[in-house]
Amino acid sequence: MIDTHCHLNDSQFDNDLDSVINNFFLSGGKALICVGADFSSSMKAKMIAESNDNIYYTIGVHPDDCDTYSQSEMEDLILTKSDKLVAIGEIGLDYFHNKLNKAKQIEVFVSQINLAIKYNLPIVIHCRDAYQDVYNILKEYAPLKIGVVMHCYSGSLEFANQLIKLGVKLSFTGSVTFKNAIKAKEIVQKIPLDTFFFETDAPYLTPEPNRGKRNEPKNVFDTAKYVANLRQIDVKRLIKITDENAKKFFNIKFM
Ligand SMILES: [Zn+2]
């Protein structure tokens, strides 16, 4: 199985990164995507991908860090990429953490979308309390020339359907296993099987039954099992389908 979004580059993994990676592959994991959120974490993601088999990486500046963004720095990161770069992300809008700098967030988001289009890379979107603005921006680019995924989707079913109509994919973290995630549970049951895949967002959002502990990529199986149970589908079949979705989306060729 693929963990399509984790932060192995987070300092919480500095002391035991190798064993976290080993635990994932020993549990049957096939590939990991290590996600950047600013310049230095993007560089670190690249380093981790380059020194491990079956680990890929993304580069991007998260909306919380939009003040640190430089377009030329980002373009340099793309031009010096390794063949394991699979997407630009996580990028997007976050009005939950800060709604006073909306214009700046939008400027940085759009700049990174344009770079992704220029270099033909899919994008991984972080969106919190900003679905309408993200949707409006994406709509301006329709029909989409690049893959777009909403990471850790937590919006409404209505937005999910609108986004899917645009060709956007959704990805789900361990938060769907949380008791109060009623909307997400409904969405993950109703949307077509070819429109989503799984991630951990480790070290955050640990799925049940380990909620509260530090998250790690091997827990992506718990989220898949939980959703398979909700959808009344065999977990192996679900993982096969969502892995195919992810491989196609990120243009990962293996297995
Ligand atoms: Zn993340």
Side-chain angles (χ1 to χ4, degrees):
M1 169 164 204
I2 304 172
D3 180 359
T4 64
H5 185 125
C6 61
H7 299 277
L8 295 175
N9 43 359
D10 190 284
S11 59
Q12 289 189 51
F13 294 118
D14 282 353
N15 293 325
D16 61 348
L17 180 63
D18 288 342
S19 66
V20 166
I21 291 170
N22 281 337
N23 287 342
F24 173 72
F25 290 111
L26 288 172
S27 309
K30 299 282 188 212
L32 287 173
I33 298 175
C34 182
V35 172
D38 61 10
F39 184 80
S40 65
S41 64
S42 296
M43 291 291 286
K44 199 168 167 185
K46 181 188 183 196
M47 209 185 67
I48 292 169
E50 281 178 345
S51 40
N52 289 280
D53 289 338
N54 299 315
I55 298 187
Y56 301 83
Y57 75 105
T58 75
I59 55 173
V61 175
H62 189 286
D64 289 356
D65 292 301
C66 62
D67 287 334
T68 68
Y69 178 74
S70 143
Q71 181 169 328
S72 60
E73 224 174 54
M74 181 57 64
E75 194 154 13
D76 279 347
L77 278 182
I78 297 173
L79 293 169
T80 55
K81 71 187 169 82
S82 83
D83 57 2
K84 289 178 133 187
L85 178 70
V86 292
I88 300 296
E90 50 188 295
I91 61 175
L93 302 176
D94 191 323
Y95 299 161
F96 177 79
H97 284 130
N98 192 346
K99 48 177 160 250
L100 301 174
N101 65 349
K102 286 185 181 180
K104 180 71 185 172
Q105 287 193 40
I106 290 171
E107 177 198 317
V108 169
F109 181 36
V110 167
S111 166
Q112 292 181 98
I113 295 175
N114 290 334
L115 283 175
I117 291 170
K118 182 173 173 188
Y119 293 99
N120 194 29
L121 286 160
I123 57 174
V124 178
I125 295 182
H126 169 101
C127 173
R128 217 164 156 199
D129 291 357
Y131 281 98
Q132 190 66 55
D133 280 5
V134 166
Y135 179 77
N136 290 344
I137 290 167
L138 291 176
K139 225 179 154 198
E140 282 175 34
Y141 289 92
L144 299 172
K145 292 193 198 78
I146 51 169
V148 176
V149 62
M150 301 298 290
H151 127 79
C152 190
Y153 185 72
S154 58
S156 65
L157 177 62
E158 189 195 348
F159 260 120
N161 286 328
Q162 286 184 27
L163 288 162
I164 287 168
K165 246 184 231 157
L166 274 185
V168 173
K169 304 291 179 198
L170 308 182
S171 95
F172 293 92
T173 63
S175 63
V176 295
T177 71
F178 299 170
K179 219 181 226 161
N180 59 356
I182 296 157
K183 257 188 323 181
K185 288 186 215 297
E186 185 194 356
I187 293 165
V188 84
Q189 284 182 75
K190 285 191 173 160
I191 59 176
L193 281 168
D194 62 352
T195 60
F196 69 97
F197 36 83
F198 294 109
E199 57 166 305
T200 57
D201 205 21
Y204 314 106
L205 302 172
T206 313
E208 296 290 1
N210 291 301
R211 190 175 181 188
K213 295 185 197 152
R214 183 189 68 174
N215 200 6
E216 56 176 280
K218 69 168 187 205
N219 295 330
V220 74
F221 288 97
D222 291 334
T223 304
K225 272 179 218 155
Y226 187 90
V227 170
N229 193 36
L230 282 178
R231 290 191 72 123
Q232 292 292 302
I233 172 178
D234 176 62
V235 65
K236 280 190 190 139
R237 191 175 155 237
L238 178 64
I239 290 173
K240 192 165 187 269
I241 292 168
T242 54
D243 273 1
E244 282 306 320
N245 297 341
K247 280 165 71 180
K248 202 167 149 196
F249 182 87
F250 291 105
N251 196 21
I252 298 175
K253 292 184 186 82
F254 67 95
M255 289 188 271

